[in-house]
Amino acid sequence: MEATIEVTGLRKRFGPTVALDGMTFTVTPGKVTGFVGPNGAGKSTTMRAILGLDSVDAGHALVGGRPYRTLRHPLRQVGSLLDAGALQPARTGRNHLLWLAHSQGLGARRVDEVVGQVGLASAIRRRAGSYSLGMRQRLGIAAALLGDPPVLVLDEPVNGMDPEGIRWMRGFLRSLAAEGRAVLVSSHLMSELQDTADHVVIVGRGKVIADVSVADLIESASGDRITLLTTARTQAMTVLAHAGATVAVTGADTLTVSGLSGERVVAVLGENAVPFSEVSAHRASLEEAYMELTRDAVEFHAAVAEEAAR
Amino acid sequence: MTMTTYRSEAPPARDGFGQLLRAEWTKFRTVRGWVIGLVAAALVIVLIGLFGAAASNFSCAGPEGRSCAASTPPVGPDGEPVNDRFYLAHQSLSGDGSITARLTSLTTVSSSDNQKTEPEPWTKAGIIIKESTTPGSAYAALAVTGGHGVRMQHNYTGDIAGTVSTKPSWLRLTRSGDTITGHESTDGTDWHLVGTVSLPGLPSTVRAGLFAASPHHEVITESFVSTSATSYPTLATAEFDRIDLQGTWPDTGWTGDSIGDRAGGGPGGGAEPPVGFDETGDGVTVSGAGNIAPIVAGRGGLGKTIESSLVGAFAGLIAVIVVAATFMTSEYRRGLIRTSLAASPRRGRVLAAKAVVIGAVTFVTGLAAAVIAVPLVGAVERDKGHFMFPVPTATEVRVVVGTAALLAVAAVFSLAVGTVLRRSAGAVTVVIVAIVLPYILAIASVLPSGPSDWLLRVTPAAAFAVQQSVPEYAQVTASYAPADGYFPLTPLAGFAVLCGYTALALGVATFVLRRRDA
Ligand SMILES: Nc1ncnc2c1ncn2[C@@H]1O[C@H](COP(=O)(O)OP(=O)(O)OP(=O)(O)O)[C@@H](O)[C@H]1O
Ligand SMILES: [Mg+2]
């Protein structure tokens, strides 16, 4: 099976709410693809549509070129974690994995393997009702891995995890992708995906706003801006503005300069004998890039809504 | 950079319904509450049966304060408890032969006021050939009845209708070996065959003669929540003439015997009707009370049926309903249904697997409970002095297996309703109202028998008919109401009603499960 997810033109309404509005993107193997958007953007709905759980009004979602509902042993092709709390509290974690394994023709040995992989061996024979949120997330990851699938669909897997757990999850997801799997991970916080995602699909109001590699995204958000470290802040601002640059204060000793190249900045400062300690190309954080993009999206939507109201 | 797509090393496996069954079985057995619930269902069935038997007490005062407890009724040739009380004017008949008589009148008086009354429908008088005068012995009789014309009856349960209903009626019984043949006539010349019956092992010398019997008059008044019955003995008097005996009749005259009468008069005490016989010219007049018929199970009787050991089934059913509904609704409670349907996207098969698992475990539970309860409760009841209505092994198996099947199908019904409603409280309420409530209303004498019968025809509770072990007898007047253990539908038809409801519920459940977002 081709380890891809193709989502094409998904539309879905819940009564008056438009949850999906032409959602289209592709998840390719060997990468962690972040699926990011604010609350209510339609991430979970898209994932349920991919897994054949929710029907859609239009469009289709294919896994390895086939609709999920036609897969014979789906967990051997797609591992998923939608809601870590979806457990029968009276059943032990191990028995939860056991019935799932049985449904795919797998045995108890495979259960013990995935339990080891997620580091839950010590708690696995306890009632799932007694698990902490982080333990439930690990159990959910174990369930997703049961069938050793080439595709993984995970809805906010680090939600509720402590920093140590988040670090573990990042490394784990990266190693899964490094094995050649396609990994789709949703989050409503871009920062959660920093150092994890290779690619991001940014969504808002049921459609894709940006579908870019993380490297490209950061580069475009950084623009041609320059970060300047100087103790003579006021003096620097004056001379740079005279030279035609736009200058913003971003810290006590930090200025962000745009409209001038690095060489011109150094030259202008030298000509006017303004002291500075560092001139460097500005590098945006993923969060910054994301904020910039979603701000545009919100404005765009506001304009559309105004038009529609007329 | 080119990336090679991930390939799993897991061996390919066959995709089968068996895997789904195994998964659902693992789900079931790993929730302790469900397992405990079913064990409790089995226990409650056995314990309610035992409690009912242990608490049952009857007192019955005979004449002069003698107790009639522990008096077991006579047993007919086929092992069933019978009434065999009537007045007989008899002679002995050796070898083959025949008896012919003309019945000219049949009248009845009520013992309560000695006034003439309408004969009871099954008041009967006529001629009889009987193995001996011992109650319960084999016989064949040809009789004129109060309301059902000429009947040929034998060995308590056999009943063949004749055609003559006018009086005088000519009657003839002919013995040839084990075979007795009955003929009727309106004029004594033109004879019509009523029936031929076989009395296996009939001795060569038998008693033959003229008899009269009339059952108690019973009036049952039913109203909401209460039933009252009044009952008094009646006495039938029959006049015979043109008596013709063929064959070897060694006695010189008639001997009168009140068959089946306990010394000093029968139960009921007080004014027993004056029974006896009288010879007048070529005629004989016989007066008798009682009945020759199988004993019918019912509310007031001392006899116990095997299904009375399973009265706890309804309580066990409640536990089964709760477990089966929760088996499905718990998946919705926490969104586990999404995990289940992601693991097996063919939703109809998930429901089917769940139905098979809950049906099978409930069936085994019910079977275990019934197999334990029937002999155990029966032993307690016998110990208490009740007699048991014997039933053929096939019937006993049907009652036991049928009770288990009833529980199993009801569990599947509950599962289906749980799928549709997705809430355990709602599903449990609906199923209890559909099955348990009608059964209790009908069985516990809460409703009169008309509405009770109706409930047990149209609701899934009709399936309790699988528990009825004793037949209705057309030749015995009795209250064949649900409260007496008689169901309006046959076991198979009643069970089919439940199956129909279950199939419908499963159909709706499959439809909504396929259509709904999980
Ligand atoms: N079952 C449902 N019934 C009605 N509305 C729904 C349902 N599921 C989702 N929605 C609506 O669809 C929209 C998209 O919801 P969805 O849960 O997919 O968002 P999300 O991106 O996962 O958000 P979050 O980050 O909060 O998890 C929301 O407006 C939500 O209210
Ligand atoms: Mg969500």
Side-chain angles (χ1 to χ4, degrees):
Chain A
M1 196 194 82
E2 209 35 52
T4 57
I5 302 172
E6 295 158 72
V7 172
T8 315
L10 291 187
R11 288 179 192 280
K12 183 169 180 71
R13 311 177 66 105
F14 291 102
T17 315
V18 177
L20 301 181
D21 186 14
M23 183 73 76
T24 304
F25 63 91
T26 301
V27 180
T28 50
K31 286 184 213 166
V32 174
T33 301
F35 192 33
V36 200
N39 294 128
K43 305 180 295 291
S44 299
T45 307
T46 304
M47 287 182 161
R48 288 199 303 272
I50 293 170
L51 298 174
L53 295 171
D54 278 17
S55 62
V56 288
D57 305 330
H60 58 263
L62 302 179
V63 184
R66 294 172 60 185
Y68 187 92
R69 285 204 190 195
T70 66
L71 301 178
R72 282 296 162 255
H73 282 116
L75 301 195
R76 288 164 168 249
Q77 287 156 33
V78 186
S80 57
L81 167 59
L82 291 187
D83 175 7
L87 295 166
Q88 172 80 36
R91 199 179 277 134
T92 66
R94 189 170 188 281
N95 284 330
H96 175 72
L97 296 175
L98 197 59
W99 76 255
L100 264 176
H102 286 162
S103 75
Q104 308 296 304
L106 300 166
R109 177 132 44 91
R110 181 63 194 151
V111 169
D112 296 332
E113 279 172 23
V114 293
V115 168
Q117 264 182 289
V118 301
L120 205 56
S122 59
I124 201 65
R125 284 173 196 275
R126 272 168 38 194
R127 294 167 68 252
S130 69
Y131 286 8
S132 68
L133 186 49
M135 288 160 91
R136 286 172 203 213
Q137 296 281 26
R138 284 174 192 254
L139 183 62
I141 296 290
L145 289 175
L146 258 185
D148 194 14
V151 175
L152 286 159
V153 173
L154 311 172
D155 197 0
E156 314 214 9
V158 298
N159 195 13
M161 278 190 152
D162 56 19
E164 201 281 317
I166 293 176
R167 198 151 13 139
W168 168 81
M169 183 71 81
R170 283 179 176 164
F172 195 65
L173 295 182
R174 287 242 293 266
S175 72
L176 291 171
E179 290 169 339
R181 301 184 217 241
V183 184
L184 179 66
V185 188
S186 80
S187 174
H188 56 271
L189 294 175
M190 194 65 150
S191 56
E192 278 182 357
L193 294 169
Q194 188 114 37
D195 307 329
T196 313
D198 307 293
H199 195 93
V200 285
V201 174
I202 299 172
V203 293
R205 308 200 178 200
K207 63 171 72 156
V208 174
I209 295 166
D211 183 348
V212 290
S213 76
V214 169
D216 288 351
L217 177 65
I218 289 175
E219 192 170 313
S220 72
S222 308
D224 53 358
R225 283 176 290 182
I226 305 291
T227 304
L228 171 67
L229 242 62
T230 173
T231 45
R233 208 174 62 186
T234 327
Q235 207 182 341
M237 283 177 79
T238 317
V239 297
L240 288 171
H242 268 293
T246 312
V247 186
V249 180
T250 46
D253 292 340
T254 319
L255 297 176
T256 301
V257 186
S258 53
L260 285 181
S261 70
E263 293 81 43
R264 278 294 293 144
V265 170
V266 173
V268 168
L269 292 176
E271 277 162 26
N272 294 285
V274 179
F276 64 95
S277 56
E278 191 185 326
V279 174
S280 61
H282 173 82
R283 190 176 159 77
S285 73
L286 202 49
E287 188 68 26
E288 246 180 286
Y290 170 62
M291 291 308 287
E292 206 151 292
L293 270 167
T294 45
R295 188 167 53 238
D296 291 351
V298 169
E299 280 161 14
F300 168 74
H301 279 287
V304 170
E306 235 167 74
E307 231 162 78
R310 248 181 258 140
Chain B
M1 181 182 80
T2 53
M3 198 72 216
T4 46
T5 296
Y6 182 77
R7 297 254 173 255
S8 166
E9 278 150 34
R14 279 192 320 114
D15 146 61
F17 188 59
Q19 291 172 358
L20 225 52
L21 283 181
R22 189 159 179 228
E24 290 300 333
W25 162 238
T26 305
K27 268 188 201 172
F28 183 85
R29 68 177 173 78
T30 54
V31 173
R32 201 185 302 157
W34 295 339
V35 177
I36 291 173
L38 282 196
V39 171
L43 273 179
V44 107
I45 290 173
V46 175
L47 289 179
I48 289 185
L50 282 175
F51 182 78
S56 82
N57 246 319
F58 57 83
S59 59
C60 159
E64 288 106 45
R66 275 176 296 121
S67 169
C68 62
S71 66
T72 45
V75 169
D78 301 324
E80 73 284 356
V82 297
N83 276 313
D84 199 10
R85 203 166 70 82
F86 58 102
Y87 197 85
L88 176 63
H90 57 100
Q91 299 189 28
S92 96
L93 164 64
S94 288
D96 293 346
S98 74
I99 174 172
T100 306
R102 186 175 77 163
L103 184 143
T104 53
S105 85
L106 175 62
T107 54
T108 324
V109 294
S110 129
S111 71
S112 58
D113 49 9
N114 256 346
Q115 294 297 303
K116 222 171 147 180
T117 64
E118 277 293 298
E120 293 298 304
W122 289 105
T123 292
K124 51 202 172 199
I127 54 181
I128 187 166
I129 292 176
K130 192 165 167 66
E131 180 188 341
S132 71
T133 54
T134 310
S137 60
Y139 74 93
L142 189 63
V144 172
T145 62
H148 299 278
V150 169
R151 309 296 285 208
M152 180 157 179
Q153 298 186 336
H154 76 286
N155 286 359
Y156 309 94
T157 53
D159 177 42
I160 304 165
T163 56
V164 173
S165 56
T166 54
K167 283 184 239 357
S169 322
W170 292 75
L171 306 169
R172 174 181 293 158
L173 281 176
T174 309
R175 173 183 186 185
S176 173
D178 286 353
T179 305
I180 314 279
T181 309
H183 286 93
E184 62 184 350
S185 172
T186 49
D187 52 14
T189 51
D190 193 11
W191 289 90
H192 170 252
L193 174 72
V194 180
T196 301
V197 300
S198 168
L199 303 180
L202 195 65
S204 77
T205 297
V206 294
R207 310 306 301 181
L210 308 161
F211 79 98
S214 190
H216 284 213
H217 179 80
E218 297 200 17
V219 183
I220 294 177
T221 320
E222 285 183 316
S223 63
F224 190 71
V225 190
S226 79
T227 303
S228 65
T230 53
S231 162
Y232 53 83
T234 61
L235 176 75
T237 300
E239 291 174 16
F240 299 93
D241 62 4
R242 311 287 178 87
I243 297 161
D244 180 30
L245 306 176
Q246 298 291 323
T248 311
W249 296 75
D251 297 352
T252 50
W254 298 107
T255 308
D257 261 315
S258 190
I259 306 291
D261 233 354
R262 297 171 191 90
E272 275 296 306
V275 300
F277 84 105
D278 230 355
E279 288 184 77
T280 50
D282 75 333
V284 176
T285 301
V286 182
S287 294
N291 204 358
I292 313 170
I295 290 181
V296 164
R299 267 167 279 196
L302 302 185
K304 290 288 176 186
T305 54
I306 70 162
E307 63 264 35
S308 67
S309 339
L310 295 172
V311 282
F314 81 91
L317 180 59
I318 293 175
V320 164
I321 288 168
V322 172
V323 170
T326 316
F327 188 40
M328 182 48 106
T329 54
S330 70
E331 298 239 353
Y332 284 103
R333 178 106 188 264
R334 293 185 175 78
L336 195 57
I337 187 75
R338 295 205 177 109
T339 312
S340 295
L341 296 183
S344 5
R346 287 190 279 175
R347 299 183 178 185
R349 286 164 45 119
V350 174
L351 185 61
K354 272 195 139 54
V356 169
V357 166
I358 197 70
V361 296
T362 308
F363 183 81
V364 171
T365 306
L367 198 61
V371 163
I372 293 168
V374 166
L376 202 61
V377 177
V380 174
E381 276 168 346
R382 260 186 289 267
D383 203 44
K384 282 260 177 177
H386 294 281
F387 64 88
M388 302 295 289
F389 285 94
V391 289
T393 307
T395 305
E396 187 160 348
V397 169
R398 186 251 295 157
V399 170
V400 167
V401 174
T403 300
L406 158 71
L407 292 170
V409 177
V412 175
F413 182 58
S414 183
L415 178 86
V417 174
T419 309
V420 176
L421 299 181
R422 294 185 275 187
R423 295 272 188 287
S424 48
V428 167
T429 308
V430 165
V431 178
I432 285 179
V433 167
I435 308 185
V436 182
L437 187 65
Y439 171 75
I440 290 175
L441 288 178
I443 244 61
S445 310
V446 178
L447 295 177
S449 57
S452 293
D453 271 354
W454 182 82
L455 277 180
L456 293 179
R457 276 176 197 279
V458 305
T459 70
F464 277 96
V466 297
Q467 293 193 331
Q468 181 182 329
S469 69
V470 287
E472 285 186 28
Y473 291 105
Q475 70 270 36
V476 184
T477 305
S479 153
Y480 294 107
D484 300 293
Y486 294 89
F487 288 82
L489 296 178
T490 63
L492 206 61
F495 190 60
V497 171
L498 173 62
C499 290
Y501 275 99
T502 304
L504 184 72
L506 272 180
V508 174
T510 310
F511 179 79
V512 298
L513 187 61
R514 286 206 178 120
R515 291 291 298 270
R516 262 189 323 225
D517 285 344

